[in-house]
């Protein structure tokens, strides 16, 4: 049980330690020695060290990809139509935008492709204008926050 907990703590430390630092052998050995008991057989220590060296980049990538996150924007499609049916005659022949957003959900299982969901909605000129104003405000905020020259 102690060995299992030591290995778990070792992997946890390495996952959140700088990837560049883990490429330097002396730093990696220091972290490994910190967690592995001196009473542990040297062959077992070497086996654990070799497994960790070989797998840490795979574990780090899996850790990054399995974080809880919001869905990611993939793409958007649209078309403009004229309304041909309405309860009010004033709403006939009014142009509307039919928008489809494609968003990618987070991975549910390592090694599987995340599902891409489609969100369809209709917008009139006023709601589109409001959305574009909001997006412009967000863009300005991000530009000011991140500084010039960063995308």
């Amino acid at each position: 049980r102690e060995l299992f907990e030591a290995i778990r703590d070792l992997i946890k430390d390495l996952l959140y330690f700088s990837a560049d630092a883990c490429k330097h052998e002396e730093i990696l050995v220091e972290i490994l020695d910190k967690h592995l008991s001196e009473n542990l057989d040297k062959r077992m220590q070497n086996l654990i060290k070799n497994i960790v060296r070989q797998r840490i980049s795979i574990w780090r990538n899996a850790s990054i990809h399995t974080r809880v996150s919001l869905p990611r924007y993939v793409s958007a499609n649209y078309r403009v139509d004229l309304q041909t049916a309405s309860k009010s005659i004033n709403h006939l022949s009014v142009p509307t935008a039919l928008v489809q957003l494609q968003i990618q959900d987070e991975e549910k299982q390592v090694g599987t492709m995340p599902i891409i969901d489609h969100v369809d909605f209709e917008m009139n000129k006023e709601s589109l204008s409001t959305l574009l104003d909001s997006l412009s405000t967000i863009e300005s905020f991000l530009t000011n926050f991140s500084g010039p020259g960063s995308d």
Side-chain angles (χ1 to χ4, degrees):
R1 181 174 168 91
E2 289 177 33
L3 178 60
F4 172 77
E5 290 174 1
I7 293 172
R8 182 196 65 208
D9 292 342
L10 164 70
I11 292 170
K12 190 166 74 171
D13 279 0
L14 287 173
L15 284 177
Y16 299 106
F17 205 76
S18 166
D20 292 331
C22 287
K23 290 178 185 174
H24 300 292
E25 186 66 21
E26 62 275 359
I27 294 173
L28 186 58
V29 168
E30 181 182 321
I31 295 170
L32 290 165
D33 288 342
K34 172 185 161 190
H35 289 283
L36 298 178
S37 169
E38 293 176 8
N39 300 334
L40 187 62
D41 180 63
K42 289 293 180 194
R43 292 183 301 171
M44 180 63 83
Q45 283 186 11
N46 290 335
L47 176 63
I48 293 169
K49 288 177 183 180
N50 287 334
I51 291 170
V52 168
R53 278 188 196 101
Q54 292 172 356
R55 298 290 180 170
I56 191 63
S57 64
I58 296 168
W59 295 335
R60 183 174 280 121
N61 286 336
S63 173
I64 289 169
H65 292 297
T66 57
R67 292 185 299 200
V68 175
S69 64
L70 296 173
R72 292 185 177 101
Y73 167 81
V74 175
S75 69
N77 296 313
Y78 71 93
R79 74 173 197 252
V80 177
D81 283 344
L82 292 177
Q83 274 188 339
T84 57
S86 177
K87 292 180 182 178
S88 170
I89 194 142
N90 294 335
H91 293 121
L92 287 177
S93 298
V94 174
T96 60
L98 301 173
V99 181
Q100 180 184 66
L101 291 179
Q102 294 178 5
I103 54 174
Q104 184 178 36
D105 221 351
E106 63 185 55
E107 280 184 65
K108 302 295 183 204
Q109 185 177 8
V110 175
T112 61
M113 289 297 295
I115 296 172
I116 294 180
D117 290 321
H118 301 274
V119 179
D120 299 316
F121 56 94
E122 182 178 356
M123 300 182 81
N124 61 23
K125 183 179 177 185
E126 292 78 23
S127 59
L128 179 60
S129 180
T130 302
L131 175 64
L132 291 174
D133 288 343
S134 297
L135 290 174
S136 178
T137 302
I138 292 169
E139 180 185 32
S140 296
F141 176 77
L142 291 175
T143 301
N144 292 333
F145 185 74
S146 63
S150 60
D151 289 326

